[in-house]
């Protein structure tokens, strides 16, 4: 009877790193998925991750443009332009 042994030349380190990276990505996306399910409930339509990120970006642009009162006019103009671009992207994605 002939015995054959299969040796893995890649080793265990690359697979360990790949598994750790995929676990970190899943952990980082979990809050976004939870927020997406909240948006889906509020808007009464299914939201994917891209639509959720578009809504998050529009809200961030709005809050960063409005809340800090000590901004100069130039910074407020940039924030307004970002908000308009984010809302257009949100309308396109949704």
């Amino acid at each position: 009877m002939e015995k054959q042994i299969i040796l893995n030349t890649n080793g265990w380190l690359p697979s360990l790193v790949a598994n750790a990276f995929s676990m970190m990505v899943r952990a980082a996306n979990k809050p976004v998925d939870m927020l997406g399910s909240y948006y889906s409930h509020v808007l009464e339509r299914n939201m994917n991750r891209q639509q959720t990120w578009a809504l998050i970006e529009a809200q961030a642009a709005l809050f960063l443009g409005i809340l800090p009162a000590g901004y100069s006019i130039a910074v407020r103009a940039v924030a307004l332009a970002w908000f308009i671009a984010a809302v257009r992207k949100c309308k396109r994605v949704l």
Side-chain angles (χ1 to χ4, degrees):
M1 175 181 259
E2 182 178 329
K3 296 182 180 179
Q4 294 181 356
I5 298 175
I6 299 173
L7 296 176
N8 189 358
T9 59
N10 292 337
W12 55 271
L13 187 59
S15 64
L16 179 68
V17 171
N19 288 340
F21 184 71
S22 67
M23 286 175 50
M24 287 189 300
V25 168
R26 279 195 306 266
N29 284 330
K30 188 170 183 168
V32 175
D33 292 337
M34 290 172 60
L35 190 59
S37 66
Y38 172 73
Y39 286 150
S40 295
H41 179 71
V42 170
L43 296 175
E44 297 178 349
R45 59 181 291 185
N46 289 333
M47 303 285 291
N48 61 21
R49 193 173 289 148
Q50 181 184 12
Q51 293 168 333
T52 303
W53 274 114
L55 284 171
I56 291 171
E57 181 184 358
Q59 288 177 345
L62 176 67
F63 290 137
L64 290 177
I66 290 176
L67 290 182
Y71 282 171
S72 68
I73 298 297
V75 174
R76 287 195 182 268
V78 170
L80 179 65
W82 179 35
F83 175 67
I84 291 171
V87 168
R88 286 184 179 170
K89 177 183 175 184
C90 202
K91 287 173 80 174
R92 186 181 70 243
V93 171
L94 292 176

